Amino acid sequence: MKLNYVGKLFDSTYCVDVHTHDLWEVVYYTDGYGNVRIGEEVVPFKTGDVFVIPPTIPHTDYSDVGFKNYHYTFLDFELSADKYLMFRDTDNGDFLRILKQLYMEYHLKRKNWQNITECLYQVLHQYIVSFSYESEHNIYVSKAVKEIISNISNPKFELDRMIDNIPLNNDYFRKLFQKQIGETPLHFLTHKRISYAKQLLNTRKISKLSIKEIAWRSGFDDYYYFSRVFKKQTGCAPSNWANK
């Protein structure tokens, strides 16, 4: 198991001694604000900030008002070990919700706890990978990706209107989006919708949804257009895919 330890600062803390780990460490600040010194660099933190600190780098955190955090250590990571990673949790606190569950399962040690904690750790790990890629993207590209994902199932979502609301030239934004994401905004939306349609088709025997309803739930208000796009991307009609 890659996960090594999960801990929590229960009481308001004002300073942690300088220390190092042979492992990676993730620190999530749940309360307060202050500064983190990582190597020779001093970085401010506040509630909701997450730091991923590579092995062997001396680090400490300190605050005039006090702080609390969750933290865990793990063995290895596919990203560079030369520099720390910092990101903020989502507005919904998705990372923290899973981290709290990881902490509970790690210390409860109920039956099958090792598999449970490993799965929760892997979810957090994929969030970190996602956030690390997102930090490399232009802020408007990142916002557009989130808005597209949020509207996969919305047939009334107007992609052009979303792009018009971005304070960049439309053609420039589309080129920037394609450069950073690897496909145009329209292709990105279409691929996400078809991928979601595949999931719905795979469970159709249980859900009893009609293919027309699946098309609607996948963001297509025109069943025949959905069928053409689906067949173009998968090589078979939605009905054939459902019967596989």
Side-chain angles (χ1 to χ4, degrees):
M1 185 167 66
K2 291 184 176 182
L3 183 68
N4 178 259
Y5 177 75
V6 188
K8 177 182 178 181
L9 293 180
F10 289 92
D11 299 321
S12 193
T13 303
Y14 295 88
C15 183
V16 173
D17 292 337
V18 178
H19 60 287
T20 62
H21 303 280
D22 293 331
L23 306 170
W24 287 82
E25 182 179 29
V26 172
V27 182
Y28 187 115
Y29 292 96
T30 56
D31 189 58
Y33 59 87
N35 291 292
V36 183
R37 178 183 288 276
I38 305 174
E40 299 301 319
E41 188 172 352
V42 176
V43 187
F45 73 81
K46 58 184 177 181
T47 301
D49 284 344
V50 186
F51 285 78
V52 184
I53 304 171
T56 72
I57 296 181
H59 55 280
T60 179
D61 34 15
Y62 51 92
S63 167
D64 293 333
V65 300
F67 62 89
K68 298 177 183 178
N69 68 39
Y70 281 94
H71 49 275
Y72 65 92
T73 54
F74 59 98
L75 289 177
D76 55 9
F77 197 30
E78 57 264 38
L79 298 183
S80 170
D82 296 333
K83 185 173 174 58
Y84 70 89
L85 173 66
M86 174 190 174
F87 59 88
R88 283 193 61 75
D89 197 359
T90 65
D91 293 339
N92 296 325
D94 297 319
F95 195 93
L96 179 59
R97 189 182 306 113
I98 300 168
L99 180 51
K100 285 180 177 180
Q101 190 64 32
L102 175 66
Y103 175 85
M104 291 298 296
E105 297 295 345
Y106 181 85
H107 291 282
L108 279 174
K109 287 184 167 54
R110 67 180 92 203
K111 288 185 178 180
N112 200 35
W113 72 272
Q114 289 177 312
N115 287 332
I116 294 172
T117 54
E118 178 66 16
C119 290
L120 291 169
Y121 160 77
Q122 287 295 340
V123 173
L124 292 176
H125 191 76
Q126 294 306 318
Y127 266 113
I128 292 172
V129 172
S130 177
F131 284 131
S132 68
Y133 290 147
E134 187 175 289
S135 66
E136 300 173 358
H137 292 158
N138 173 276
I139 184 173
Y140 297 115
V141 172
S142 296
K143 287 182 177 179
V145 168
K146 290 179 181 178
E147 188 164 353
I148 288 171
I149 295 297
S150 298
N151 285 280
I152 288 174
S153 298
N154 180 10
K156 298 186 182 301
F157 174 62
E158 297 182 28
L159 185 63
D160 289 340
R161 176 174 290 185
M162 182 203 76
I163 294 174
D164 286 340
N165 290 331
I166 293 172
L168 297 174
N169 175 273
N170 287 4
D171 289 338
Y172 171 75
F173 172 76
R174 285 187 171 90
K175 290 177 181 178
L176 183 63
F177 189 100
Q178 184 165 12
K179 179 180 179 181
Q180 296 193 351
I181 303 302
E183 53 189 342
T184 66
L186 178 58
H187 286 165
F188 180 76
L189 173 61
T190 302
H191 287 160
K192 290 297 181 184
R193 285 178 164 173
I194 294 301
S195 178
Y196 184 54
K198 290 177 183 177
Q199 295 176 39
L200 296 178
L201 288 167
N202 288 339
T203 58
R204 184 168 174 249
K205 290 182 179 179
I206 299 172
S207 68
K208 307 300 182 183
L209 292 173
S210 69
I211 294 180
K212 285 188 177 181
E213 190 169 0
I214 287 174
W216 178 263
R217 293 193 180 194
S218 302
F220 294 89
D221 58 2
D222 184 332
Y223 167 73
Y224 298 102
Y225 176 69
F226 164 70
S227 296
R228 290 198 304 272
V229 172
F230 191 95
K231 187 171 184 178
K232 182 178 180 181
Q233 289 205 11
T234 66
C236 68
S239 57
N240 292 338
W241 181 280
N243 292 329
K244 280 185 177 181

